[in-house]
Amino acid sequence: MPTPFRKISGGVCAPKGFLANAVSAGIKNPDADRLDLALIYSEKPCVAAGTFTTNRVKAAPVRVSQAHLRDRDVQAILVNSGNANACTGVAGIEDARKSARTVAKSLGLRQSQVAICSTGVIGLPMPMVRIEPKFAPLVEGLAPKKGTDVAHAIMTSDTQHKEISISLDLDGHKVKIGACAKGAGMICPSMATMLCFITTDANIGKTCLDKAVHEAVENSFNRITIDGDMSTNDSVVVLANGESGMPRIKPRSKSYRLFREALEFIALEMAKSLVRDGERVTKFVTVKVNGARTYSDAKKVAEAVANSALVKSSWNGNDPNWGRIIHAVGYSRAMIREELIDIHIGAKPACLGGLEAQTPMNELRKIVAKDNFTITI
């Protein structure tokens, strides 16, 4: 079924009123000239929402941004690659705060109106001596067509930049949503070593935006895994400036449902792009769980299967070993009955009622030899 969204160009700069810029600061390597410091800025006040890593070891920028988002009106996002500013103690917190404060002053904002995010090597101090001189040109170069530069600047082990933007009609007004993301390793549900920035010119309140963002993240970034490792810097930040001119989106309205659907579409496309670009990834596998007693049980089963090193190694070797799948289902701590478990590989049954199905093994091997297939439990 066709979606009510139309893909457009522009990334985070596609929505009205958003500017961006990216520069080279030599953060990881002073001799390199790659883009590694970026800024996203709304010319108008924003409503902001976000989600962050659930790892108890949190990077300095995560702690600072979490505090800033409580003030509700973040209007800019400062982000760097090459250094995670994680496990850097009090000095790391102060570097993050100072960076936000300096950029905020240049933009005429309060420090708390700037979210700050970092990605890269853990445990090294931020090379502020190289970063600070770049803040002025970063702000001065803000422009409406530099969304792709931001997508490039946040890359670390990514092999390609990741961005998307769409247009949709809400209450008779054209509304745009744009996004960019990075991530290729340390990817696991409950957020991962990934960053995602989403901008929109929709007119939406804080309560509605918080709800929409958390639902979108739960159905996208919290459902992916590559290596089963959770990072210290995961951040999703969403800015909405209302510049589309539409009336305020009301809770439980048709406009809210469509906006949430659009936001989830954006987040899911970004999440899929992270998996496809994962470090040493050879296949894109979707695990579907039907018939569970609860959503929680379904999620436990899906995560147990998707995170199993044995299961993933069999898929990598083109081996349709359903025994490894059912053993992961069994230890998932979900409420199950062995005699009711069916496992399909692609459209072919591999296990029915907890017993081997009669599908020839060669047919199952052909399915798992593909780059993209689905496991249904």
Side-chain angles (χ1 to χ4, degrees):
M1 185 173 68
T3 68
F5 323 126
R6 182 172 63 89
K7 287 189 177 182
I8 58 176
S9 62
V12 292
C13 286
K16 188 176 180 180
F18 282 95
L19 308 177
N21 192 24
V23 298
S24 173
I27 292 173
K28 186 175 182 180
N29 178 2
D31 296 324
D33 59 359
R34 67 174 297 272
L35 300 175
D36 57 6
L37 184 65
L39 180 64
I40 302 168
Y41 168 65
S42 171
E43 297 177 287
K44 299 292 183 179
C46 290
V47 173
T51 62
F52 298 89
T53 182
T54 54
N55 194 321
R56 292 191 177 183
V57 178
K58 290 179 171 58
V62 168
R63 297 182 184 277
V64 171
S65 290
Q66 283 180 310
H68 287 186
L69 257 69
R70 284 194 284 269
D71 281 354
R72 302 187 177 192
D73 61 347
V74 167
Q75 200 168 324
I77 303 168
L78 176 66
V79 56
N80 74 270
S81 62
N83 188 309
N85 194 9
C87 302
T88 48
V90 175
I93 294 286
E94 183 49 40
D95 285 342
R97 287 174 175 164
K98 184 178 182 182
S99 297
R101 185 164 58 246
T102 302
V103 170
K105 185 177 180 181
S106 298
L107 294 172
L109 304 176
R110 302 188 311 277
Q111 177 182 323
S112 62
Q113 290 179 291
V114 178
I116 184 163
C117 301
S118 299
T119 182
V121 180
I122 292 174
L124 297 179
M126 290 291 283
M128 296 303 290
V129 67
R130 297 197 293 274
I131 295 174
E132 288 185 85
K134 298 296 182 177
F135 288 148
L138 183 66
V139 172
E140 291 167 3
L142 285 167
K145 293 186 178 181
K146 293 187 177 181
T148 301
D149 286 351
V150 174
H152 280 283
I154 62 178
M155 293 169 57
T156 51
S157 56
D158 308 65
T159 64
Q160 56 190 359
H161 75 285
K162 305 167 180 69
E163 68 174 344
I164 188 174
S165 42
I166 62 173
S167 173
L168 66 152
D169 291 325
L170 282 180
D171 285 332
H173 291 75
K174 183 174 289 186
V175 171
K176 298 176 182 178
I177 305 176
C180 65
K182 67 79 53 183
M186 285 179 129
I187 301 291
C188 183
S190 296
M191 302 294 291
T193 184
M194 46 76 55
L195 302 177
C196 181
F197 309 118
I198 302 175
T199 59
T200 180
D201 48 22
N203 184 2
I204 186 168
K206 175 67 173 175
T207 301
C208 280
L209 185 61
D210 276 337
K211 187 173 187 296
V213 169
H214 281 82
E215 289 174 347
V217 168
E218 176 61 24
N219 292 327
S220 57
F221 296 113
N222 281 354
R223 290 192 180 184
I224 62 173
T225 181
I226 293 177
D227 44 33
D229 284 331
M230 187 191 303
S231 178
T232 56
N233 290 60
D234 323 317
S235 304
V236 174
V237 181
V238 183
L239 304 182
N241 64 11
E243 282 293 278
S244 62
M246 68 170 295
R248 177 65 64 94
I249 295 174
K250 296 179 180 179
R252 297 181 295 278
S253 65
K254 180 180 178 181
S255 292
Y256 172 76
R257 291 192 295 273
L258 184 56
F259 174 79
R260 183 189 63 191
E261 185 181 342
L263 192 65
E264 188 172 304
F265 173 81
I266 286 277
L268 188 57
E269 288 298 299
M270 289 289 90
K272 289 177 179 178
S273 71
L274 302 187
V275 175
R276 291 191 177 99
D277 194 31
E279 294 174 7
R280 299 183 183 275
V281 162
T282 60
K283 300 180 189 296
F284 184 100
V285 183
T286 302
V287 179
K288 292 184 177 180
V289 180
N290 301 323
R293 183 184 60 168
T294 63
Y295 170 82
S296 176
D297 276 358
K299 191 173 182 182
K300 287 176 183 175
V301 169
E303 289 182 349
V305 172
N307 281 321
S308 167
L310 279 175
V311 171
K312 288 191 282 192
S313 64
S314 67
W315 292 341
N316 183 63
N318 301 332
D319 178 11
N321 191 333
W322 65 268
R324 294 186 177 185
I325 297 173
I326 198 169
H327 104 279
V329 174
Y331 68 63
S332 68
R333 298 189 178 182
M335 183 66 73
I336 66 159
R337 289 176 59 187
E338 179 183 341
E339 65 273 17
L340 296 181
I341 300 174
D342 297 341
I343 298 172
H344 284 70
I345 298 176
K348 303 287 185 178
C351 164
L352 294 174
L355 303 173
E356 183 177 25
Q358 298 305 307
T359 305
M361 191 59 65
N362 283 341
E363 291 186 19
L364 298 177
R365 286 198 184 97
K366 289 178 182 178
I367 297 171
V368 297
K370 297 178 180 178
D371 295 337
N372 191 331
F373 59 87
T374 297
I375 301 293
T376 305
I377 302 166

